[in-house]
Amino acid sequence: MLEFMPSGNPFQDPLRFERRVPECTVVIFGANGDLTKRKLLPALYRLAYEQRLSPGFAVVGISRTPMTDERFRENMRESVARFLEDAPFDEEVWTGFATGLFYMAGDVNDPVCYQRLATRLRAIEETRRTGGNVLFYLSTQPSQYAAAARGIGAAGIASGNGWRRLVVEKPFGHDLKSARVLSDALHEVFDERDVYRIDHYLGKETVQNILAFRFGNGIFEPLWNRRYINHVQITAAESIGVEGRGSYYQEAGSLRDMIQNHLLQVMATIAMEPSATFDPGAVRDERAKLLRSIHVMKPDEVAANAVAGQYGASRVGAASVLGFREEPGVDPQSRTDTYAAATFFVENWRWAGVPFYIRTGKRLPKRVSEIAIHFNAPPHDMFDASGDGARPNLLIVRIQPEEGISLKFLSKQPGSGMKLRPVSMDFNYGSSFGGRSPSAYETLLLDAIAGDATLYTRQDMVEASWAAVEPIAAVWSEQKFDFPNYPCGAWGPEAADQMLARRGHVWRKP
Amino acid sequence: MSAILPQKVLHDLAGLWATMGGHADSGTETGASAGVLRACTMTLVVLLDDLPGAEAAAVQQRAGEAIAMVMREHPSRTIVIHLRPSGDAALEAHVSAQCWMPFGKSQQICCEQIDITATEAALSDVPGVVLPLAAPDLPLVVWCRPARLFRLPAFAGFFPLAGKVILDSAGFPDTGAILGDLATAIASGKRVCDLAWTRLTRRRELIAQIFENPVYLSQIATVTDVRIRCTGSAIPVSAYYFAAWLKQCLESGGAEPRLQFVSEGGEGRGELAVVEISGRNHVEVELVEGAVFEARVDTLANRTALPVFTDDALLREELGLIGHDPVYEKTVGLAAKLASGWEMEFH
Ligand SMILES: NC(=O)c1ccc[n+]([C@@H]2O[C@H](COP(=O)([O-])OP(=O)(O)OC[C@H]3O[C@@H](n4cnc5c(N)ncnc54)[C@H](OP(=O)(O)O)[C@@H]3O)[C@@H](O)[C@H]2O)c1
């Protein structure tokens, strides 16, 4: 992370003082949308509740729908009260926080919108003493990102009295080429160091904890290589379907929506080399290096190393559940993958030959995200173990829902004879640290305001991960799938099991 | 103290968890039963006076509540030592669990508590009992609720066990003596902290925030005077701490300030009321009422309501800092000197 605060202030006591962030205005484009309601405003409110934001903090929401400041505040109040996670809603804190919320009806494609924004920002800078610091947050449809950046640039508000930064939500393009086009458009107005590409997975406490676990302890790193690790499974399963976002999802699919960004970032965190320091540049360099070391599949390698799936209608519990093609807004012939699994290899000394299996999907049996590290079996089996007793060691990092780490190992069953049984040693994040962990958006928003980009994705990382998934996407776009190929509530298509079986492996059932 | 058998207490603890269903499911995915999760990150030893009377009972109850609140952030094996002024050497030890349901979760988290009753005369035996009962390989922190115990020779036995000793000098009648003891303990490498210092964190932070402004920061060397205004008939420990801290910070910023304590009048134990820092800019932080502070810089004024200083909030802050605390360690020596210095009379 960055230095705690600008140094030179002799009154600072970094051990005890909260990290304070400078005053600023957050401008949200797409403030009438789902993300603002569910994630951004609840996170900002929570930061205000914890007194992490400065008193002059302000938000300007922009969307096309006409609304007064008052109406916007009322809408946001409802959303915050509804979507606040693991924390109660405090009316008094809200009242103070809401005085800094403003709304402007405008279209990101309309130059006038930015002129009005410029006037508004000047007024807010004056009345709330924000020092001219502005964080622009693009939460509209991705096709409007470039227009928004250009609009900001043309109106002359990409620079000002304070700092100006741009936060971009995924997806960062839909392939390598479009990712570069998007970056070029953003770079016309903002330097790369001021572009914050958000990947909320990296903001999750457990994902950050992977670094602490790996590099803060001496006992794991010596085992962290091809000699001891047999393979790694990364799972991000959702039990829900597309929940009304069918038309968005149809364009993306799970490979692009989850693997290209979140899960490859998780893989990079698991597999990267230790950086010399914990500063944003160094950590991101190592992540980027790992992503660049992922073997880029040739077209003829895709069939054996990647599996696409789409859920079909089924009964889950006592209820009938629609198939993807029957969801509202979805093309009845859609070929979109609602499930994707892939085998990646890292071409370096540490990981050569170790498969990294990644899978993600909708309408799987439960919501779970985890990393399972399968260690090699002992070289000689003196107990003649079979069945359960033959299971090798497994280290599981649970990202959600119950964040924690478990180590599975074998133990003798009580009684006569030498029967082995797997047992689990568990660390549960929530119970050991009590209190409340900040949500990913709280962490990331605070970091962006503080100018700390450690947990943000950089352009070279985006390009490296597109390079890894693009061959798969290219082959799939030409392929005819027999969709649907898994029923709601199952662990994906059979072909995904076969992909692992080829190397003698089996998917874990978390 | 010989009547307390550590093995028996540990056995009772194991039995407690067995009854709560904690161990029946140790082979499950999360290592927890559906209802209860056992958690422990340290051993917290709490020394409490066990005196008769309603006032003493209220103090005990407040301490109990503070422990219960602290467990949520720092789940610990708590060993509470109830010290009676006289009576049988060792009366009893019993075990219990503190459980709570985290907000929005369906599983209770539980911590274990061991209560031991002893006499003050047997204080030197207590560390020997605590040692085998402490959770292995985890830090041990001693909260010495009555500050006077810290000054007893028998207390020395806790230092080898404790990663940290917490006390509260605020209520202690002889400010100079307790600050002197704290400074000596720290100079000899012991980790001790004082909740009277912890209470100042947010107020110190207000000052630090003011000097985040580059204009004020650049003027630090022009500071000539620091005035600490207090209520009450004697200078409170908080005023010595604040003065010492300010002086050191300002000196490291190139200033050579004069220090003055000013009485605002009033009887009894006073409070730190206003802090003034004068140079090219004039900075004041005033306690307006309750926990509301007003920060004034020249003509600008800003009010802030700080969180109320409950025992559990203070303890939580200290338990989150198990290592060295360089700022406090640097400050306490000077605070002790100020408290014993002749020039620090009220003006
Ligand atoms: N929702 C999530 O959980 C999530 C997660 C990760 C990433 N994302 C990404 O975050 C972005 C926003 O997602 P979302 O779910 O909030 O989308 P959304 O619900 O569709 O919201 C976008 C909002 O933008 C406004 N808008 C549309 N066109 C506009 C224009 N020309 N000018 C100004 N405002 C316009 C719309 O409000 P008006 O109709 O009032 O203009 C709309 O409410 C997307 O890029 C998405 O990929 C979302």
Side-chain angles (χ1 to χ4, degrees):
Chain A
M1 296 276 157
L2 271 192
E3 276 287 287
F4 173 76
M5 257 178 226
S7 52
N9 179 347
F11 297 98
Q12 281 303 347
D13 185 349
L15 273 184
R16 289 182 186 263
F17 296 175
E18 294 282 6
R19 179 166 76 155
R20 294 273 162 186
V21 292
E23 352 290 289
C24 80
T25 307
V26 175
V27 177
I28 304 175
F29 292 93
N32 199 21
D34 202 45
L35 185 74
T36 310
K37 290 179 193 152
R38 281 175 186 268
K39 300 287 180 193
L40 302 185
L41 258 293
L44 290 171
Y45 160 80
R46 183 66 207 182
L47 291 172
Y49 179 88
E50 294 192 347
Q51 301 191 318
R52 307 299 293 272
L53 301 174
S54 59
F57 178 79
V59 173
V60 179
I62 301 177
S63 278
R64 292 162 308 180
T65 309
M67 232 188 295
T68 58
D69 286 345
E70 268 320 310
R71 183 72 237 158
F72 179 61
R73 287 171 189 160
E74 199 35 50
N75 288 355
M76 291 302 124
R77 201 196 87 88
E78 276 166 32
S79 309
V80 170
R82 178 158 166 227
F83 294 114
L84 198 56
E85 285 168 24
D86 296 346
F89 179 79
D90 184 311
E91 204 63 61
E92 225 171 276
V93 174
W94 173 263
T95 309
F97 175 71
T99 58
L101 298 188
F102 306 96
Y103 182 81
M104 243 187 66
D107 190 318
V108 292
N109 300 306
D110 177 7
V112 176
C113 166
Y114 302 93
Q115 297 302 340
R116 286 173 38 233
L117 176 61
T119 314
R120 198 88 198 244
L121 285 176
R122 272 196 300 275
I124 290 174
E125 182 179 337
E126 188 76 10
T127 52
R128 299 192 61 88
R129 303 201 187 151
T130 56
N133 299 326
V134 183
L135 186 73
F136 296 101
Y137 199 114
L138 302 187
S139 178
T140 55
Q141 282 87 350
S143 56
Q144 294 163 341
Y145 291 168
R150 288 196 186 109
I152 292 168
I157 46 176
S159 57
N161 289 335
W163 48 256
R164 305 283 154 118
R165 298 184 188 126
L166 181 73
V167 180
V168 194
E169 268 290 344
K170 69 165 194 185
F172 317 119
H174 51 88
D175 54 20
L176 182 56
K177 190 165 159 235
S178 58
R180 286 193 176 138
V181 169
L182 171 64
S183 266
D184 290 346
L186 302 181
H187 291 160
E188 281 172 27
V189 182
F190 290 93
D191 279 348
E192 174 63 22
R193 63 155 202 272
D194 294 323
V195 178
Y196 287 64
R197 293 177 192 78
I198 206 161
D199 187 319
H200 71 269
Y201 254 66
L202 290 182
K204 288 180 186 287
E205 287 279 320
T206 338
V207 176
Q208 296 176 61
N209 197 30
I210 293 171
L211 295 181
F213 179 77
R214 284 189 59 196
F215 304 133
N217 296 296
I219 56 172
F220 302 109
E221 213 40 33
L223 308 179
W224 222 253
N225 56 50
R226 62 194 300 275
R227 189 151 174 225
Y228 299 101
I229 293 183
N230 184 277
H231 68 281
V232 177
Q233 297 185 10
I234 301 175
T235 301
E238 289 195 59
S239 57
I240 55 169
V242 288
E243 306 292 294
R245 298 180 74 221
S247 50
Y248 159 77
Y249 196 81
Q250 174 163 259
E251 300 303 314
S254 358
L255 181 70
R256 288 187 167 93
D257 193 46
M258 291 294 292
I259 295 185
Q260 183 272 333
N261 38 60
H262 307 315
L263 300 185
L264 284 180
Q265 288 291 342
V266 169
M267 174 177 159
T269 312
I270 277 288
M272 68 187 244
E273 295 298 316
S275 58
T277 60
F278 194 54
D279 77 71
V283 174
R284 297 202 300 173
D285 284 348
E286 292 304 336
R287 267 208 190 99
K289 234 191 277 172
L290 191 283
L291 290 168
R292 281 198 299 273
S293 317
I294 295 176
H295 170 73
V296 176
M297 290 180 210
K298 297 183 185 67
D300 62 351
E301 290 173 320
V302 170
N305 291 298
V307 174
Q310 191 189 80
Y311 62 85
S314 169
R315 285 186 75 74
V316 177
S320 305
V321 180
L322 293 180
F324 179 65
R325 289 175 174 177
E326 289 103 53
E327 297 265 10
V330 174
D331 174 359
Q333 302 299 317
S334 171
R335 301 192 314 153
T336 302
D337 48 304
T338 61
Y339 174 99
T343 308
F344 291 107
F345 287 91
V346 177
E347 295 180 320
N348 65 17
W349 279 46
R350 193 194 275 262
W351 295 116
V354 177
F356 285 79
Y357 300 116
I358 298 187
R359 66 176 158 172
T360 180
K362 298 222 174 255
R363 290 273 182 230
L364 300 185
K366 61 175 176 181
R367 172 177 174 256
V368 58
S369 295
E370 63 160 42
I371 303 150
I373 294 158
H374 292 245
F375 288 88
N376 285 323
H380 169 64
D381 176 12
M382 67 184 274
F383 298 113
D384 193 18
S386 58
D388 263 1
R391 287 197 206 156
N393 298 124
L394 195 58
L395 183 81
I396 297 148
V397 180
R398 293 187 306 275
I399 299 172
Q400 59 190 24
E402 287 289 321
E403 304 187 332
I405 293 172
S406 305
L407 180 67
K408 305 250 175 205
F409 55 93
L410 294 180
S411 166
K412 180 187 172 301
Q413 258 191 47
S416 61
M418 196 39 118
K419 281 198 184 137
L420 304 192
R421 203 181 75 175
V423 291
S424 172
M425 198 159 74
D426 297 288
F427 157 72
N428 184 302
Y429 208 68
S431 62
S432 291
F433 290 103
R436 175 188 170 276
S437 298
S439 73
Y441 275 94
E442 285 166 45
T443 305
L444 292 167
L445 282 164
L446 204 65
D447 281 358
I449 297 170
D452 181 347
T454 314
L455 302 176
Y456 282 84
T457 314
R458 218 166 47 186
Q459 175 58 15
D460 56 344
M461 297 166 162
V462 172
E463 290 186 10
S465 44
W466 272 123
V469 302
E470 205 172 48
I472 305 174
V475 169
W476 286 1
S477 70
E478 300 296 319
Q479 199 171 331
K480 278 220 164 355
F481 290 106
D482 191 12
F483 282 163
N485 60 355
Y486 71 99
C488 297
W491 276 111
E494 258 181 52
D497 297 336
Q498 289 154 10
M499 180 176 86
L500 266 68
R502 257 174 245 129
R503 293 190 177 85
H505 299 146
V506 181
W507 284 114
R508 215 178 97 75
K509 297 214 167 30
Chain B
M1 294 296 290
S2 54
I4 293 176
L5 293 175
Q7 300 91 306
K8 160 120 184 19
V9 178
L10 292 172
H11 184 261
D12 289 352
L13 269 186
L16 177 78
W17 288 108
T19 339
M20 290 169 66
H23 88 176
D25 302 36
S26 56
T28 61
E29 184 73 13
T30 60
S33 76
V36 174
L37 206 66
R38 178 184 187 173
C40 185
T41 58
M42 65 174 75
T43 302
L44 176 64
V45 179
V46 183
L47 297 176
L48 279 181
D49 274 331
D50 186 2
L51 302 170
E55 200 182 318
V59 171
Q60 288 236 36
Q61 192 184 337
R62 273 210 309 280
E65 286 163 6
I67 295 169
M69 293 305 290
V70 162
M71 286 308 108
R72 293 160 189 235
E73 207 166 296
H74 300 280
S76 317
R77 176 178 290 181
T78 311
I79 305 176
V80 184
I81 317 285
H82 304 267
L83 285 170
R84 295 192 172 167
S86 58
D88 289 345
L91 297 176
E92 58 191 59
H94 78 265
V95 298
S96 59
Q98 294 253 10
C99 298
W100 67 95
M101 188 77 86
F103 187 87
K105 299 273 168 6
S106 57
Q107 196 176 38
Q108 283 198 89
I109 299 180
C110 294
C111 293
E112 49 213 11
Q113 179 164 325
I114 304 168
D115 284 86
I116 294 176
T117 311
T119 60
E120 202 171 309
L123 182 64
S124 56
D125 293 337
V126 174
V129 175
V130 165
L131 184 62
L133 296 179
D137 303 319
L138 293 174
L140 184 147
V141 176
V142 177
W143 178 25
C144 178
R145 183 88 183 44
R148 85 193 141 72
L149 295 180
F150 181 75
R151 306 204 68 215
L152 300 179
F155 190 83
F158 285 99
F159 283 118
L161 314 182
K164 179 164 187 165
V165 173
I166 303 175
L167 58 103
D168 188 350
S169 68
F172 197 75
D174 187 346
T175 307
I178 192 89
L179 280 177
D181 283 0
L182 280 163
T184 311
I186 281 175
S188 65
K190 303 191 171 85
R191 304 231 174 114
V192 188
C193 71
D194 184 355
L195 299 184
W197 168 253
T198 323
R199 268 182 211 97
L200 300 174
T201 302
R202 299 291 153 240
R203 223 188 295 196
R204 291 192 297 122
E205 203 172 7
L206 282 180
I207 302 263
Q209 250 176 306
I210 292 171
F211 286 94
E212 276 299 288
N213 183 318
V215 177
Y216 306 142
L217 186 63
S218 66
Q219 307 283 348
I220 284 189
T222 70
V223 171
T224 51
D225 285 282
V226 169
R227 223 161 292 114
I228 308 276
R229 304 210 316 246
C230 316
T231 57
S233 54
I235 301 175
V237 67
S238 52
Y240 288 121
Y241 274 138
F242 217 91
W245 173 70
L246 277 178
K247 190 165 159 38
Q248 267 162 347
C249 294
L250 289 165
E251 282 173 356
S252 72
E256 286 176 22
R258 271 188 304 272
L259 200 55
Q260 211 185 348
F261 291 90
V262 182
S263 169
E264 301 250 289
E267 286 305 305
R269 182 171 304 135
E271 250 192 297
L272 170 57
V274 188
V275 173
E276 291 178 41
I277 304 169
S278 320
R280 197 155 298 153
N281 304 107
H282 185 80
V283 174
E284 276 187 33
V285 173
E286 177 176 2
L287 170 62
V288 185
E289 58 172 342
V292 179
F293 289 84
E294 186 165 292
R296 296 185 283 270
V297 185
D298 301 330
T299 54
L300 288 176
N302 198 358
R303 280 198 179 199
T304 316
L306 297 182
V308 180
F309 311 114
T310 53
D311 273 356
D312 64 281
L314 300 172
L315 281 173
R316 283 204 308 266
E317 182 172 329
E318 288 307 330
L319 294 179
L321 294 170
I322 296 295
H324 275 291
D325 179 357
V327 178
Y328 176 64
E329 289 168 9
K330 221 169 82 182
T331 305
V332 67
L334 180 58
K337 265 194 211 131
L338 293 179
S340 64
W342 56 269
E343 78 270 40
M344 288 308 140
E345 301 293 309
F346 262 152
H347 290 265

